[in-house]
Structures are given as structure tokens and as C-alpha cells.
């Protein structure tokens, strides 16, 4: 398998291997990961489980089977993985030199976690859908109703891309026992930890292993507050269920972990190595999904009523102006390592695990490779501590490295896809940043800039202006197969991706500044960015500019259509955008418009009307491609249809691309290829670039061991 493509095209990107973060074993010698590929020649996907040898940088194939997923270590050379079976069943398979089936669960399960208990038994936990009676739900074997009618009498009738049913996500547990060289699941059964509690975890639609953890003391998990409407409020609480053997069939009610003054999302609970402490994050507001996360500690999980916040301040704002996310404990439990965004990167930060000791200084970032951290683990318990890190960047879809906290030496790169990128000209030299004044000159904003691999400073290149979604989000120095600046740059554009008001990673003042300002401060920031491009990037031909955006970025495309900035572009692309803010109550998570528009539609209709793109359709004049999908319940497809209908009625050149089987994202490889071809064909036509969206050179494959 060798790389023969000479140009980075959508086909090259979409057919390149997608390598998961790698998880090292306890000895720090091997790391488990998965890798999948899609072939546009035979229209098939392949999937492998591999082991990465940390010392040599080589890898070995362990399993090649589309049915195999979620490998987790049981020991230094034994691992467990899931294997989907017939009729929706799931097998638990353990492999070393010889593979054997541990159990067969008569339903789909996922999000596996294991933990060795003091008695040598391995605690096992996973998530699965449960019926109202608390039993495992298998959609393959359930009795099919005679009618397709769905009847609701409460909110959350649908979420993300599915209609709600009576079945809810739940956490199941059991114990893996080792006898005569083989593992078995005790009693060949799993117990629903949340049966009859009224609680559901992981939290849909994106909850996973980060929503719960297991340890010698039992199970901690986050769940939506059952007393509040889940469509109107973000509140998720942390709960603790004591378990000693993970064979218990009768459980006490879950114990609530109390966090006075903090009532928003709870996330990422992680047991300390001693099993007594738990670190986690929580937001303050119960109607703001992008609120600042606070790092908290439960000093003794057997006393869940006592918690301490790191960097707490009297005004409630917190002394660290960042949003901690993933958490791991140092080997001796004296340190915490957390990830947090910072100026278009996600970094690892180190701090003492005792809040009183941490208060003396803010967290410090560790040295990691260029780009953003997506996963990390303690490699060995020896001193000094070494972390095994997985990162991505704008030119690298997967990089494994090690870093030593507190050590001045740079990280050690173990395996990287950058060498494949270099074969097509993708290098760090193509990436830079642009600073520009914010609205009113009161703050500074930043943008990522990416140039073509064949860049010649003496030439001028058309501009591809990218507007990010969220709106509380950011363009990051990270890989993407949906919005990849390198794909646009290799068509011959200079790509500018600004992070205006609302962007994360630049402090909470900039992020929170978008509330009640959807078409205000962010729009003015983008106007200032355009002016900075004209003044500072003399190699950009702004007379051949195009703009593209999705979600909130799609809203902004529709907004600038009706405002002066829209006349600066030759063509626009709107993916899953908002046509009218008055339709925001067609969404599923109503807490989102309630927060961003400062009240409900009934309480503050004027705020919704103020920033409504539909008010300005009389000004729409720039050619526009509309993309929308029928399974997008965040922004129903009628938003795309309305925008397309207006453009067509006004005789503005326009095109509609619709996917009946995609949600807010276009994920299926064949659909994604069509998406890229249509987008590139549209903007290239108006920017005066010959359509080069096809394959340049045969792609036999990209080997990424």
C-alpha cells in the first residue's frame, strides 16, 4: 500500500486511513488503536485493530473485521473488544495469542470500560439502550408495531437525527473472571445500574465513555436532571453508586454529588488511582450549553456532598479563563492533567490535584506537537511521568507522541501522517495567522491562514473565506474530513478562517459576547477581517473571493447575503444554515435559542426579529449553493428550502444539494465525495478556477501503521 497521489484532493482525504487515538498498556510498551479506510474503487470500508509498538514505532495487525470495535486492555498483552453478531447481539471477545468468546449480549452495546479490582476481578461497564422496565433493548428483535404513528405529550420529540422513543441509554455492569486461562462474564449477565432510577446515561446524543467512570469504590456517571425539561435546560448532575464487586444485583439509590452554585452540564468524571477521589467538570448556567467549565474535586466519593472548585473566585467567574475538558490523574494522584483550548489549539495543562495548592498559580501548558490534542494517557507510572499523546493538525490527520511534563525537551514524535502530507506538499510553511481588530476596536481577533502547496508570493490567489459554526466554536489547528482548509487551498485558494466574537479558546468575554448579537459583533468582526486581508495579504485577490459556512456559519452566509459584505463575494455556500431566526423554535434543544436570544420567543420576540436574515431577502443577490439534509433536526430542512426558494424566485443563480440520509453533518463517504465535488465545482466556477475536484493521480492507498 503506497501513496501515488500527487495532489491533495477530496478523494485522497476521504480514502486516507482514519486512525483512532491509541491507548497504551500498563507496561507502556504497546498501544491499541483502530484504523478504518474507505475505497472509492470497490465502495467498501475496511476496519482493523492494531497494536503500536512504542519503542520501535512499528505496528502489528491484530484483528481485521468490520464487526470488531472498541478494543480495551485487560493486561499487558490481552485485550477485549466488541464484535457485532447476528440479530443485533454483541459478543465480548478476549484476544492474546488465542481468541475466545467471553459472553454474548443479546443487544447492541458500546462505550466499554474495564478496571481491575483489588481482588483481581475485572470490573466491566458499557452503555446500551434499556426498555422502560430496565431490560436491554434490541431493535433487531423487538416486535414491530402495526402503525408508524408517534404520539408525544412532552418536549424532546426528536433529538439530533432520531425521533424519541420510550427506550433510554443506560449503564450496564458486570465482572470478568479469569479461570483456566480464560475469561468469563460472571453469571453471563449484565446488570442495569440505572434501572428504576429515572436517570439516563450517557447523555444523548453525543455522550460516551466520558460520561461515566468505574473504580474500586463503584460507578460515577452524569445524567440529565429528571426534574427539569431536558429540551429547556442543560443541567446534568453527577451521581455515585457504590459497588464493591460489580456482581451486586441490588443497588442503593444513586447518590447526588452536590455542587452549590453550579447547575449546568457536568462532564468527564474520573476516579483517582487510589479510587477515593473524583475529578470532573461542571458549568454554572443551566441554559447555556457553551458556558465556562469549572474543574471540581470530590475529595472522598463516599461523602459526595463535599466538593471543591479549582480556581474559584468570590465573583463566581473563576480565576482561570479557560474551559477544561478531558482529565487524567498523574501516577501518584498528586497532579491533574487536563485539556483546554487556547488560540486555535487544544493543549494539555498541568496543575496540582489539591485545589488549595493549585490556587497559588494557574495551570501551565505542556509541550505537544503542532496542532491539537485529541487524547492522552499516562504512559508509565515511573518518575518522571511520561504522557502518550494523540494529536492532529491542519496537515496531519494522526500523530502519536510522548511528552514529559516539566521537562524542557520537546515532545518525541513516534508516528505521524505528516510524511504522507509532505508527498503532496502539505507543510507547516503553508500555515500562518492573521490578527485583526474586533468590532469597535475593543479587542483583537485572530484567523488561520492556509496557502496552496504551490504558493508563489508573486502571484495573487482567490480567497476562500470560511465562517465557523457553533456559534460558540472555533477554527482550530486540527484535522477534519468535513471542513478541511487544505482541500480548498489545494484547489488554488488562500483560505482565511477567522475566529470572531463567539469563538472559543480566546477567553470567555469573546465567547459570551455573541449573546444577543448574532448579526452584530460577529458580522462586524468579519468585516474587519476582510479589511485586514485587503491591507495585509497582498497575495490575495479579493475580487475573486468566495465565502462558505455551516450551521451558525450558514446563518452568517444568509445574513451577509442581505448586507454589504455579501456583495464582496463572487459566490456563497450555505450548509445547514438558518433562514429565519423566528424558526429557531423548530429545533430540539430549546435551551440554545433561549440563551443566545436572551429569552423565549414569547418573552423576547424582538431579539429574534432583530437578527433575522429573512428580513433582508430583498437584498439577496450573490450566487449561492444551499446544502441541507433531511435528518438534520437541529436545523430542519425547511430552512434550506426557504433560502433556495427565495433565491430562485429572485432569479439569483442558485443550487440545492439535499441528502435524505444525513444529519447536521455529512458523514457517509460517498455522500461526502458528492458534497466536496458540488462545493468545489460551485466556488471554482465563480472564482475562475478550473474545476480540479477530481483525483490527481491514482490513489492505491495510504499506509498509516
Amino acid at each position: 500500500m503506497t501513496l501515488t497521489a500527487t495532489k491533495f484532493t477530496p478523494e485522497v482525504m476521504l480514502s486516507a486511513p482514519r486512525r483512532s487515538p491509541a491507548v497504551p498498556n500498563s507496561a507502556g510498551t504497546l498501544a491499541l488503536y483502530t484504523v478504518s479506510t474507505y475505497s472509492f474503487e470497490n465502495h467498501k470500508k475496511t476496519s482493523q485493530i492494531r497494536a503500536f509498538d512504542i519503542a520501535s514505532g512499528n505496528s502489528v495487525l491484530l484483528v481485521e473485521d468490520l464487526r470488531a470495535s472498541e478494543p480495551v486492555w485487560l493486561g499487558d498483552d490481552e485485550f477485549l473488544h466488541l464484535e457485532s453478531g447476528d440479530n443485533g447481539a454483541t459478543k465480548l471477545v478476549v484476544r492474546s495469542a488465542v481468541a475466545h468468546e467471553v459472553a454474548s449480549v443479546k443487544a447492541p452495546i458500546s462505550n466499554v470500560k474495564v478496571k481491575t479490582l483489588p481482588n483481581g476481578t475485572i470490573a466491566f461497564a458499557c452503555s446500551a439502550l434499556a426498555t422502560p422496565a430496565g431490560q436491554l433493548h434490541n431493535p433487531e428483535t423487538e416486535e414491530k408495531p402495526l402503525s408508524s404513528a408517534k404520539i408525544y405529550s412532552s418536549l424532546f420529540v426528536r433529538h439530533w437525527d432520531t425521533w424519541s422513543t420510550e427506550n433510554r441509554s443506560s449503564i450496564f455492569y458486570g465482572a470478568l473472571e479469569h479461570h483456566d486461562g480464560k475469561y468469563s462474564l460472571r453469571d453471563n449477565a449484565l446488570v442495569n445500574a440505572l434501572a428504576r432510577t429515572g436517570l439516563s446515561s450517557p447523555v444523548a446524543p453525543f455522550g460516551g465513555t466520558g460520561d461515566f467512570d468505574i473504580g474500586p469504590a463503584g460507578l460515577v456517571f452524569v445524567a440529565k436532571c429528571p426534574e427539569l425539561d431536558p429540551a429547556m435546560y442543560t443541567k446534568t448532575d453527577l451521581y455515585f453508586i457504590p459497588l464493591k464487586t460489580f456482581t451486586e444485583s441490588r443497588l442503593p439509590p444513586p447518590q447526588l454529588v452536590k455542587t452549590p452554585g453550579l447547575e449546568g452540564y457536568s462532564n468527564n468524571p474520573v476516579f483517582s488511582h487510589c479510587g477515593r477521589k473524583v475529578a470532573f467538570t461542571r458549568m454554572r448556567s443551566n441554559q447555556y450549553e457553551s458556558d465556562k467549565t469549572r474543574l471540581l474535586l470530590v475529595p472522598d466519593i463516599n461523602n459526595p456532598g463535599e466538593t471543591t472548585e479549582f480556581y474559584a473566585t468570590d465573583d463566581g467567574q473563576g480565576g482561570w479563563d479557560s474551559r477544561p475538558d478531558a482529565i487524567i490523574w498523574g501516577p501518584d494522584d498528586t497532579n491533574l492533567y487536563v485539556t483546554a483550548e487556547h488560540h486555535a489549539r487544544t493543549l494539555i495543562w498541568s496543575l496540582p490535584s489539591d485545589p488549595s495548592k493549585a490556587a497559588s498559580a494557574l495551570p501551565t501548558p505542556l509541550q505537544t506537537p503542532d496542532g491539537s490534542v485529541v487524547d492522552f494517557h499516562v504512559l508509565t507510572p515511573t518518575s518522571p511521568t511520561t504522557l502518550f499523546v494523540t494529536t492532529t493538525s491542519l496537515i496531519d490527520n494522526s500523530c502519536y507522541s510522548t511528552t514529559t511534563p516539566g521537562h524542557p525537551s520537546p515532545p518525541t514524535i513516534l508516528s505521524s501522517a505528516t510524511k504522507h502530507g509532505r508527498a503532496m506538499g502539505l507543510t507547516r510553511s503553508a500555515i500562518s495567522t492573521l490578527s485583526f481588530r474586533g468590532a469597535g476596536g475593543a479587542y483583537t481577533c485572530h484567523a488561520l491562514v492556509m496557502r496552496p502547496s504551490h504558493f508563489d508570493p508573486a502571484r495573487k490567489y482567490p480567497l476562500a473565506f470560511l465562517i465557523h459554526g457553533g456559534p460558540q466554536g472555533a477554527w482550530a489547528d486540527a484535522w477534519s474530513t468535513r471542513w478541511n482548509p487544505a482541500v480548498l487551498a489545494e484547489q488554488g485558494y488562500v483560505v482565511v478562517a477567522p475566529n470572531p466574537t463567539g469563538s472559543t479558546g480566546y477567553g470567555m468575554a469573546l465567547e459570551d459576547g455573541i449573546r444577543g448579537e448574532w448579526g452584530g459583533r460577529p458580522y462586524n468582526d468579519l468585516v474587519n477581517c476582510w479589511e485586514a486581508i485587503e491591507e495585509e495579504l497582498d497575495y490575495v485577490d479579493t475580487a475573486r473571493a468566495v465565502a462558505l459556512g455551516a450551521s451558525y456559519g450558514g446563518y452568517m452566509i444568509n445574513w451577509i447575503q442581505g448586507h454589504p459584505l455579501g456583495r464582496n463575494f463572487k459566490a456563497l455556500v450555505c450548509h445547514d444554515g438558518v433562514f429565519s431566526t423566528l424558526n429557531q423554535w423548530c429545533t430540539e434543544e430549546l435551551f440554545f435559542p433561549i440563551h443566545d436570544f436572551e429569552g423565549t420567543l414569547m418573552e423576547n420576540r424582538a431579539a429574534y426579529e432583530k437578527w433575522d436574515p429573512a428580513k433582508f431577502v430583498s437584498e439577496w443577490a450573490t450566487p449561492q449553493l444551499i446544502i441541507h439534509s433531511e435528518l438534520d433536526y437541529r436545523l430542519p430542512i425547511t430552512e434550506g428550502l426557504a433560502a433556495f426558494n427565495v433565491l430562485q424566485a429572485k432569479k439569483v443563480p442558485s443550487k440545492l444539494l439535499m441528502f435524505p440520509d444525513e444529519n447536521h453533518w455529512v458523514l457517509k463517504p460517498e455522500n461526502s465525495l458528492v458534497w466536496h465535488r458540488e462545493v468545489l465545482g460551485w466556488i471554482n466556477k465563480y472564482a475562475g478556477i478550473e474545476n480540479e475536484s477530481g483525483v490527481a493521480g491514482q490513489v492505491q492507498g495510504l499506509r498509516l501503521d
Side-chain angles (χ1 to χ4, degrees):
M1 298 279 286
T2 57
L3 173 67
T4 57
T6 57
K7 183 180 177 66
F8 187 69
T9 65
E11 288 87 344
V12 172
M13 177 187 69
L14 295 171
S15 60
R18 303 189 187 190
R19 192 167 68 172
S20 75
V23 180
N25 59 10
S26 59
T29 56
L30 298 172
L32 278 174
Y33 67 98
T34 63
V35 60
S36 64
T37 59
Y38 186 84
S39 169
F40 288 104
E41 293 181 359
N42 57 28
H43 309 288
K44 291 183 179 179
K45 178 183 177 181
T46 63
S47 181
Q48 298 176 344
I49 298 174
R50 303 184 72 95
F52 179 77
D53 186 290
I54 294 171
S56 69
N58 298 322
S59 76
V60 60
L61 175 63
L62 303 176
V63 182
E64 185 163 21
D65 191 335
L66 281 172
R67 300 172 301 169
S69 64
E70 298 200 37
V72 292
W73 289 109
L74 295 180
D76 288 336
D77 58 0
E78 289 182 305
F79 68 97
L80 177 145
H81 69 84
L82 302 182
E83 184 178 300
S84 57
D86 297 334
N87 299 317
T90 307
K91 296 178 182 178
L92 276 59
V93 179
V94 168
R95 292 180 183 269
S96 54
V98 178
H100 68 272
E101 184 177 320
V102 174
S104 180
V105 181
K106 299 185 182 301
I109 63 174
S110 59
N111 299 313
V112 171
K113 282 195 170 182
V114 293
K115 180 72 175 181
T116 302
L117 301 177
N119 65 0
T121 299
I122 296 178
F124 174 90
C126 65
S127 69
L129 283 178
T131 66
Q135 302 301 310
L136 281 165
H137 171 67
N138 187 339
E140 295 291 328
T141 58
E142 70 174 340
E143 184 177 352
K144 301 301 185 286
L146 298 177
S147 169
S148 62
K150 300 179 186 296
I151 302 172
Y152 300 93
S153 58
S154 63
L155 286 175
F156 250 11
V157 299
R158 58 185 191 176
H159 199 188
W160 188 246
D161 58 6
T162 58
W163 288 85
S164 298
T165 70
E166 61 182 359
N167 306 306
R168 296 290 182 266
S169 180
S170 196
I171 300 170
F172 289 78
Y173 68 87
L176 300 179
E177 298 177 321
H178 193 254
H179 297 292
D180 301 325
K182 290 187 176 182
Y183 288 91
S184 61
L185 178 64
R186 183 164 177 175
D187 299 327
N188 200 38
L190 295 173
V191 178
N192 185 351
L194 309 187
R196 299 176 297 280
T197 65
L199 301 174
S200 176
S201 183
V203 179
F206 304 121
T209 54
D211 281 7
F212 67 97
D213 198 20
I214 55 177
L219 166 70
V220 288
F221 65 94
V222 299
K224 280 273 193 176
C225 176
E227 299 173 0
L228 297 177
D229 193 309
M232 301 283 282
Y233 295 93
T234 60
K235 185 179 182 183
T236 58
D237 293 309
L238 180 64
Y239 296 88
F240 168 61
I241 297 177
L243 290 166
K244 292 183 178 180
T245 65
F246 280 76
T247 62
E248 295 90 340
S249 58
R250 294 181 178 274
L251 299 176
Q255 301 175 36
L256 177 67
V257 175
K258 298 179 180 179
T259 58
L262 302 177
E263 296 187 341
Y265 278 131
S266 297
N267 277 305
N268 304 310
V270 183
F271 274 108
S272 61
H273 296 288
C274 72
R276 183 170 56 90
K277 304 175 183 179
V278 173
F280 67 106
T281 64
R282 182 144 206 191
M283 297 179 182
R284 180 168 59 177
S285 171
N286 63 9
Q287 284 190 316
Y288 184 18
E289 65 175 357
S290 298
D291 197 8
K292 177 180 177 178
T293 50
R294 321 300 175 96
L295 184 63
L296 289 100
L297 176 73
V298 185
D300 184 354
I301 193 59
N302 292 302
N303 180 19
E306 180 183 340
T307 57
T308 307
E309 181 183 342
F310 288 80
Y311 308 110
T313 56
D314 292 339
D315 62 5
Q317 298 301 313
W320 186 29
D321 195 20
S322 292
R323 306 195 319 165
D325 188 18
I327 306 167
I328 64 172
W329 290 79
D332 59 2
D333 288 342
T334 60
N335 281 78
L336 289 177
Y337 302 102
V338 303
T339 58
E341 289 179 272
H342 181 72
H343 291 198
R345 295 183 65 196
T346 297
L347 304 176
I348 302 173
W349 306 76
S350 173
L351 67 151
S353 62
D354 182 337
S356 63
K357 295 180 180 179
S360 60
L362 293 178
T364 55
L366 307 185
Q367 294 192 72
T368 52
D370 291 326
S372 296
V373 174
V374 295
D375 193 60
F376 66 117
H377 300 269
V378 172
L379 184 61
T380 61
T382 57
S383 182
T385 301
T386 300
L387 302 181
F388 184 91
V389 183
T390 302
T391 56
T392 72
S393 75
L394 285 168
I395 63 167
D396 193 344
N397 72 351
S398 177
C399 176
Y400 297 154
S401 67
T402 58
T403 189
T404 302
H407 199 278
S409 60
T412 301
I413 307 297
L414 304 174
S415 175
S416 171
T418 300
K419 60 183 179 181
H420 300 303
R422 283 198 299 267
M424 291 171 286
L426 302 185
T427 64
R428 294 300 301 180
S429 63
I431 303 167
S432 61
T433 60
L434 174 70
S435 296
F436 56 95
R437 61 185 176 86
Y443 51 92
T444 299
C445 295
H446 296 88
L448 292 169
V449 179
M450 192 162 195
R451 295 174 291 275
S453 60
H454 51 78
F455 177 72
D456 178 355
R459 290 182 52 195
K460 281 186 174 289
Y461 297 86
L463 169 68
F465 195 73
L466 299 185
I467 307 173
H468 70 66
Q472 292 86 4
W475 293 116
D477 189 352
W479 191 260
S480 172
T481 54
R482 292 186 292 117
W483 288 90
N484 192 311
V487 167
L488 295 170
E490 291 308 284
Q491 292 289 306
Y493 294 92
V494 169
V495 182
V496 177
N499 284 329
T501 295
S503 298
T504 56
Y506 297 89
M508 293 306 299
L510 187 74
E511 180 179 339
D512 293 343
I514 198 169
R515 189 183 190 200
E517 284 282 335
W518 264 39
R521 276 181 55 180
Y523 173 78
N524 292 324
D525 289 346
L526 296 176
V527 171
N528 291 347
C529 182
W530 173 272
E531 294 175 352
I533 294 169
E534 290 191 310
E535 293 171 3
E536 300 183 35
L537 304 184
D538 55 6
Y539 49 82
V540 172
D541 182 1
T542 53
R544 298 167 61 203
V546 296
L548 308 88
S551 195
Y552 171 79
Y555 160 86
M556 185 54 71
I557 291 293
N558 289 337
W559 181 259
I560 67 176
Q561 260 283 24
H563 290 80
L565 182 59
R567 305 292 78 79
N568 292 343
F569 297 104
K570 291 294 186 182
L572 303 172
V573 176
C574 175
H575 175 112
D576 290 359
V578 176
F579 171 72
S580 174
T581 48
L582 293 176
N583 296 338
Q584 281 289 282
W585 276 60
C586 290
T587 194
E588 8 86 289
E589 294 182 342
L590 294 172
F591 50 73
F592 175 75
I594 290 173
H595 174 272
D596 274 28
F597 292 96
E598 302 180 295
T600 67
L601 185 60
M602 298 73 77
E603 298 165 338
N604 196 11
R605 183 184 180 91
Y608 291 79
E609 292 178 335
K610 182 178 182 180
W611 306 118
D612 187 0
K615 284 177 59 178
F616 305 94
V617 292
S618 61
E619 303 297 322
W620 287 25
T622 302
Q624 182 165 327
L625 170 64
I626 303 287
I627 307 170
H628 229 101
S629 300
E630 284 196 332
L631 297 182
D632 184 359
Y633 300 157
R634 287 281 159 98
L635 288 165
I637 193 170
T638 48
E639 295 293 281
L641 290 171
F644 177 68
N645 290 347
V646 165
L647 291 163
Q648 287 284 301
K650 288 174 61 65
K651 307 300 182 183
V652 176
S654 49
K655 182 186 286 190
L656 174 67
L657 172 61
M658 189 278 288
F659 296 98
D661 55 346
E662 298 282 5
N663 54 37
H664 202 52
W665 303 327
V666 176
L667 301 177
K668 296 178 173 64
E670 300 287 351
N671 288 344
S672 183
L673 182 58
V674 171
W675 185 97
H676 280 89
R677 285 176 170 168
E678 290 295 327
V679 167
L680 296 178
W682 183 260
I683 62 176
N684 289 353
K685 171 184 175 181
Y686 289 97
I689 292 179
E690 183 180 353
N691 189 3
E692 299 178 357
S693 59
V695 175
Q698 181 183 1
V699 182
Q700 293 181 341
L702 294 171
R703 182 167 181 171
L704 194 60
D705 294 341

